[in-house]
Amino acid sequence: MNAPLCTLRLAAVNIDGVLLNDTFSPVLHQLVTEWGGTYTAGLEQRLLSQTQSTAARVLAEATGVRATEQEVIQAYFAARERYLRTQPVRLIDGALPLLDRLRALGLGLVCYGGLGADHFERHLGERASWFTAPGYICTNDFRPGIREIAEDRFGLRREQVLFIDDAASFAARARELDVPFIGHPSSFEHGFQPALMRAAGARHVVGSLDEIDEALVRRLDREAGAGTVWQDAARPESAEVCV
């Protein structure tokens, strides 16, 4: 039997961009360009992993479109519905095996994202039993949601929760709070997330969910226990002994 993890107790996995394909960046890029704006790294950083109201304000300011926050939100979701007709929501390759590996390591699972619980139920409801109650947490009202998920919802210390997310702004906040983090940035051709995530100091960034294997999770478990998740210095590998 494999040794239990020493520090990590829960894996919090973002739904859109980690478990499901990124259907947000392409629509944001489309609206910015259609409305006369320039889609830059700085703008993308200000748009992703924000509340809908915040993103709407940023989008309106960046493009000069004359619309209320609610009108921008409505325009965004209408554009997204059109986009989904040709690029439907789907599970990312390796999503289910990833969840299975995390569970096999003894971690609880919770999913989170900016859309309502019906989004989770529609695409992952058949695996609801894999997740720890409440299963899914909508973070639209408290982005990015690190404290709320770890401390408020689960009563855990922040170093006990491994977050897996696709947004560089989330990575930056994770670094501020010194929480275990794995980045899975979008490969959207007009996006900037891989470079922004590296710039935020994320040390564990993967291009495929298959890269999040037992060895990587155990490494993060050691780093979480030692408080070195966000330290750049290489550390020697050592046997795991939980004390």
Side-chain angles (χ1 to χ4, degrees):
M1 180 177 177
N2 291 335
L5 298 177
C6 297
T7 301
L8 297 176
R9 296 292 178 267
L10 178 75
V13 187
N14 186 39
I15 188 168
D16 292 294
V18 177
L19 298 180
L20 304 177
N21 56 317
D22 175 17
T23 58
F24 287 84
S25 301
V27 179
L28 287 170
H29 175 267
Q30 174 190 328
L31 287 182
V32 169
T33 54
E34 285 182 356
W35 290 354
T38 302
Y39 195 82
T40 65
L43 179 56
E44 184 177 79
Q45 182 82 329
R46 296 170 62 207
L47 287 171
L48 294 182
S49 196
Q50 306 296 329
T51 66
Q52 292 176 14
S53 293
T54 298
R57 287 196 301 272
V58 171
L59 189 54
E61 291 168 4
T63 61
V65 67
R66 302 185 66 175
T68 66
E69 286 181 17
Q70 192 56 41
E71 287 170 340
V72 173
I73 292 170
Q74 290 173 349
Y76 169 80
F77 279 106
R80 183 169 179 270
E81 283 301 313
R82 293 191 295 272
Y83 175 81
L84 293 179
R85 292 172 191 165
T86 57
Q87 301 291 331
V89 174
R90 58 174 176 77
L91 283 167
I92 288 179
D93 291 343
L96 298 183
L98 167 63
L99 295 176
D100 204 34
R101 286 194 298 277
L102 296 172
R103 293 170 67 225
L105 285 166
L107 290 171
L109 288 178
V110 70
C111 190
Y112 67 91
L115 298 181
D118 58 322
H119 183 55
F120 170 80
E121 292 163 1
R122 183 179 308 119
H123 299 290
L124 287 157
E126 291 183 359
R127 280 93 182 173
S129 63
W130 289 17
F131 294 86
T132 307
Y136 177 80
I137 297 173
C138 175
T139 56
N140 182 58
D141 293 334
F142 45 83
R143 292 288 197 168
I146 294 172
R147 291 181 186 273
E148 291 83 356
I149 292 172
E151 299 175 355
D152 298 345
R153 298 298 180 92
F154 287 95
L156 295 170
R157 301 188 307 276
R158 292 195 295 274
E159 69 269 20
Q160 293 180 301
V161 184
L162 169 61
F163 287 88
I164 305 175
D165 202 280
D166 68 328
S169 57
F170 191 103
R173 184 58 174 155
R175 182 175 186 173
E176 290 175 7
L177 296 175
D178 199 25
V179 299
F181 176 81
I182 297 174
H184 180 261
S186 171
S187 59
F188 174 53
E189 60 181 340
H190 300 294
F192 302 92
Q193 289 304 291
L196 287 171
M197 197 169 284
R198 293 291 187 188
R203 295 173 58 231
H204 305 294
V205 179
V206 300
S208 164
L209 296 182
D210 293 337
E211 295 176 50
I212 307 176
D213 57 11
E214 179 177 348
L216 178 55
V217 175
R218 288 191 178 278
R219 178 177 178 181
L220 276 153
D221 183 56
R222 291 190 295 272
E223 293 176 351
T228 60
V229 170
W230 291 91
Q231 292 184 12
D232 294 332
R235 298 177 63 248
E237 297 296 322
S238 60
E240 294 171 289
V241 179
C242 298
V243 295

